[in-house]
Structure formats: C-alpha cells, structure tokens
Amino acid sequence: MDEKSSSETRGNPIRCRAAVSRKPGEPLVIEEVMVAPPMAHEVRIRIICTSLCHSDITFWKLKDFPGIFPRILGHEAIGVVESVGEDVDEVSEGDTVIPTFMPDCGDCVDCRSKKSNLCSKLPFKVSPWMPRHETSRFTDLKGEVLYHFLFVSSFSEYTVVDVAHVTKIDPSIAPNRACLLSCGVSTGVGAAWRTANVEKGSTVVIFGLGSIGLAVAEGARLCGATKIIGVDLNPDKFENGKKFGVTDFVNSGNCGDKSVSQVINEMTDGGADYCFECVGMASLVHEAYACCRKGWGKTIVLGVDKPGSKLSLSSFEVLHSGKSLMGSLFGGLKAKSDIPILLKKYLDKELQLDEFVTHEVRFDDINKAFDLLIEGNCLRCVIWMDKQVSS
C-alpha cells in the first residue's frame, strides 16, 4: 500500500492491509482492515518493517486465554508517526519511532526511579486492548473487532500505540536493524547490562542459545565478562554463539550421569557469577540457580514458561546460599532512555545487530517467517511492509 499523506488521513480511519491470526496455529491471513484514529495519549504509526519473535509464535498457538482471536500479532517493529491524538507532545507526525511492549510513562514513581522499569501507571499485562481505554483500534471490513497484541500489533501496515510505548529515534539508522531493539535484542542485552549489571571479568552462564540467549551473550561481552558459557541441546549453536562472545559450551543432553549444574559448578570452580535462563522452563531455572555462586551469584529469568508453571526452591538453600533470583522484563530497560544508548553503541560498532538478522521477507510472505523460526532456521526474520526483498 502506498504511503498515505497525514493531511488526508489525520482524524479518519485508515484502510490498510494486516496479517490477521484468525485461529490458533493456522497461517495468518493477509486482509484489509480498518485502523481507527488515535485517541488521547495515542499515536498512529505507519510500520516500515517488523520482525518475528518467539512470543508471537507462543501466543499464536494458544487456544485458551491469554490467547484470543482474531488478533493482529507482532510487537518488534519500527515505523513513522502518521498522526497523534490529544495530549501527545513528545512525538510529532513524521517522527521515526520504535514501539515497545513495555511502557515508559515518565511520570510514576517507578519510571522516575533508576531501580525499575516496571511502570505502575500503565502496568504491563497481556491484554487484547489498548492500555488506557481498553478498547480496540482495529476492525475487519465486516466491522468485527480485531484484538491487539502486547500494545503494539505490528503485523499491520498501520497500528495505534500508546505514547508511553513509543520511543523516538534517529531516522537515519537502518530500520531492519533498529527494529530488533523493540524487543528481543534489547531484552537480552539489557538483562546482562541493566538487570544483572554484569561486571568486568565475570563468569556468565546462559541456558538456551536462541536469539535472546545470544543477545544476553552480546550484553555480557559488552560488559566485559571473561567466561561466557552457553548451554543448549544443539551443539551447532556454539559456532554461532562465538560471534556474540560465547567462550565455552555445554551440551545439556550429553552430561552423562551428572546434572548440567554439576558440570558447570566443576567448570567454574564453585558456580558462575551470573546465570540466565532464556528458554522458559522451570527445571532450567532450578539448574541455573543451582550453578550460580554462593554468596553473590545472581540467576536472572528471561524465558516465558507456560501459564501456571511454578518454581520449588529449598528454603534452606535460599537462606544459606546468599544467592539472588530475579526476573527481567524487557531486560530491565527504560525504553525512552536506554534504546537510544543501544542504538548509539550500534552506530559506534560496539553493539552487534547485523548478525542477528538471518532472513528478510516481504509482508506477503509473513507465514514463511513463522516456518523459518519454528524450524529453528533463523535468529531474526525481518518482514518488510512495502519492499521487494529476496529471502
């Protein structure tokens, strides 16, 4: 679809194409939808490109709530502000922005603090609505409501996002790289940088060498970690991991009669300084906690486990080991201040982004992106909304 002029569309619904998830696990359907104008504190964005994250696949498969259909998925993207609603003054029409699933309102006690990125004014939840008004901005051509996803819904040529979820960036940065900081790479790098505050010379263990785990490795490398151990069932991932600073590898399916934590405790002479769980399995959280060093070791959970999963830690060990266990949503980053820092690191050739993009496809081929990620054949597949690319 041709780019629309703001003077033509401002204040009016926009008819455009979107990839709609109609039923769990079924291919997305490219169809025309209506995107309402932004309400107060909202902006309408023309998406330039978006990338596919495992969270999209997780919710695409869910048959029960918080899975809900029909829905427009997608939450890793970059775009241009087409129009703004009332009470929006930090971005204007024509600004290049990155939408994020985590809000940064700048007003609440948490957003004003350096200690947390968990906004209390607009607390994160997996909602099918806009955050302030709890209504949708999407309908199909029959008038049926199409649900939102993670406050972004980027699998649409146009979307509406709350201004608390939008970060203005330098428009000169390549969009197929900048979009990665909308979720995945930011989450992993931030977990090492902001949540764990990895120190120079540290030993780090990463459970799961998918794109999030590799982003943790990249963050740990930037922080100066000396030993970065990757744990995965697929030994082929070690070669790729070396690009991001992984120095050692443990095949979790080939530890003999020892547990993974026993192997790592032996490798690290008593445990790692920082352990990151990037898969989403309670059993791996337990293993990570078991192999972080007593006294100061930190275990950081990034993986999204199935709803209802619980951890069961020994009260004795918690009391006597002095270890820390913490979660990390969006890597502990404050989007509006930290994303520009990461983009500058990319421009200064400190932060690697190019290496995460393994495939690029046209919007019409979005289902191919799903196939590639499910088959384990890519880290990040960038989906261009209006560009011919060879995948």
Side-chain angles (χ1 to χ4, degrees):
M1 177 171 289
D2 293 335
E3 180 181 342
K4 297 176 183 292
S5 164
S6 293
S7 60
E8 298 173 0
T9 58
R10 188 186 306 116
N12 298 311
I14 286 180
R15 181 168 171 166
C16 68
R17 297 194 308 157
V20 181
S21 182
R22 291 252 167 216
K23 293 183 180 179
E26 293 191 2
L28 275 57
V29 180
I30 303 284
E31 58 184 85
E32 291 198 319
V33 303
M34 301 302 296
V35 184
M39 296 178 67
H41 304 287
E42 296 176 354
V43 300
R44 188 161 57 187
I45 301 168
R46 175 177 61 84
I47 297 296
I48 300 172
C49 60
T50 180
S51 53
L52 183 63
C53 176
H54 273 286
S55 296
D56 296 306
I57 292 176
T58 297
F59 283 88
W60 169 66
K61 291 179 177 180
L62 282 180
K63 295 180 180 179
D64 300 313
F65 194 83
I68 188 169
F69 301 88
R71 191 175 216 168
I72 298 178
L73 297 168
H75 64 286
E76 216 175 73
I78 186 173
V80 174
V81 175
E82 173 270 337
S83 60
V84 303
E86 295 179 4
D87 302 316
V88 173
D89 54 18
E90 63 180 273
V91 296
S92 306
E93 294 175 8
D95 285 345
T96 300
V97 295
I98 289 179
T100 56
F101 71 92
M102 284 292 286
D104 186 355
C105 78
D107 296 327
C108 72
V109 63
D110 297 280
C111 288
R112 292 197 308 270
S113 169
K114 294 181 179 180
K115 297 178 181 179
S116 171
N117 71 336
L118 302 179
C119 178
S120 52
K121 185 175 182 179
L122 298 169
F124 172 74
K125 54 187 175 181
V126 183
S127 168
W129 309 114
M130 295 295 292
R132 296 179 203 252
H133 305 285
E134 296 205 333
T135 52
S136 177
R137 303 292 169 269
F138 299 113
T139 54
D140 64 15
L141 296 189
K142 295 179 181 179
E144 181 183 9
V145 168
L146 302 173
Y147 297 107
H148 289 254
F149 181 60
L150 294 183
F151 308 125
V152 176
S153 291
S154 58
F155 293 166
S156 173
E157 291 176 321
Y158 286 82
T159 188
V160 178
V161 181
D162 192 282
V163 71
H165 292 259
V166 166
T167 298
K168 180 179 176 180
I169 68 160
D170 181 347
S172 68
I173 300 172
N176 58 341
R177 299 300 185 257
C179 69
L180 302 185
L181 295 181
S182 185
C183 177
V185 174
S186 287
T187 295
V189 172
W193 172 39
R194 289 298 194 203
T195 303
N197 191 22
V198 169
E199 299 158 314
K200 189 174 181 179
S202 299
T203 297
V204 169
V205 177
I206 303 166
F207 287 79
L209 292 181
S211 55
I212 300 296
L214 293 175
V216 171
E218 176 68 1
R221 181 190 67 79
L222 282 171
C223 290
T226 303
K227 195 179 191 71
I228 303 175
I229 304 169
V231 181
D232 204 286
L233 285 166
N234 184 355
D236 294 339
K237 291 185 178 181
F238 183 31
E239 281 305 311
N240 202 35
K242 290 178 182 178
K243 301 175 187 175
F244 302 96
V246 177
T247 59
D248 300 85
F249 180 76
V250 173
N251 185 334
S252 53
N254 190 28
C255 292
D257 58 356
K258 296 180 181 178
S259 65
V260 173
S261 56
Q262 286 176 311
V263 171
I264 290 172
N265 280 327
E266 291 175 3
M267 290 175 66
T268 57
D269 191 26
D273 300 305
Y274 303 96
C275 294
F276 298 84
E277 198 282 333
C278 303
V279 178
M281 291 177 61
S283 60
L284 290 183
V285 176
H286 290 139
E287 285 290 274
Y289 189 76
C291 63
C292 71
R293 191 167 190 85
K294 69 177 190 228
W296 65 72
K298 291 182 181 179
T299 296
I300 296 91
V301 179
L302 290 85
V304 180
D305 207 341
K306 58 182 180 295
S309 294
K310 296 185 183 300
L311 299 175
S312 179
L313 297 171
S314 160
S315 177
F316 180 89
E317 183 182 10
V318 170
L319 176 62
H320 287 79
S321 68
K323 305 174 184 180
S324 300
L325 173 65
M326 61 191 71
S328 181
L329 269 177
F330 195 53
L333 298 181
K334 292 181 181 294
K336 295 180 192 292
S337 54
D338 286 333
I339 286 178
I341 292 173
L342 292 179
L343 285 172
K344 186 176 187 307
K345 288 183 180 296
Y346 170 65
L347 292 176
D348 291 343
K349 302 188 183 307
E350 296 175 29
L351 172 68
Q352 300 180 102
L353 290 180
D354 299 351
E355 291 76 8
F356 285 94
V357 180
T358 53
H359 298 78
E360 300 188 37
V361 300
R362 300 176 305 137
F363 187 40
D364 287 336
D365 296 325
I366 190 170
N367 288 303
K368 183 176 181 180
F370 275 69
D371 292 339
L372 287 166
L373 201 58
I374 291 169
E375 293 164 5
N377 292 328
C378 78
L379 291 178
R380 275 297 185 267
C381 181
V382 172
I383 301 153
W384 288 91
M385 306 306 287
D386 187 20
K387 180 181 177 181
Q388 298 296 318
V389 295
S390 55
S391 56

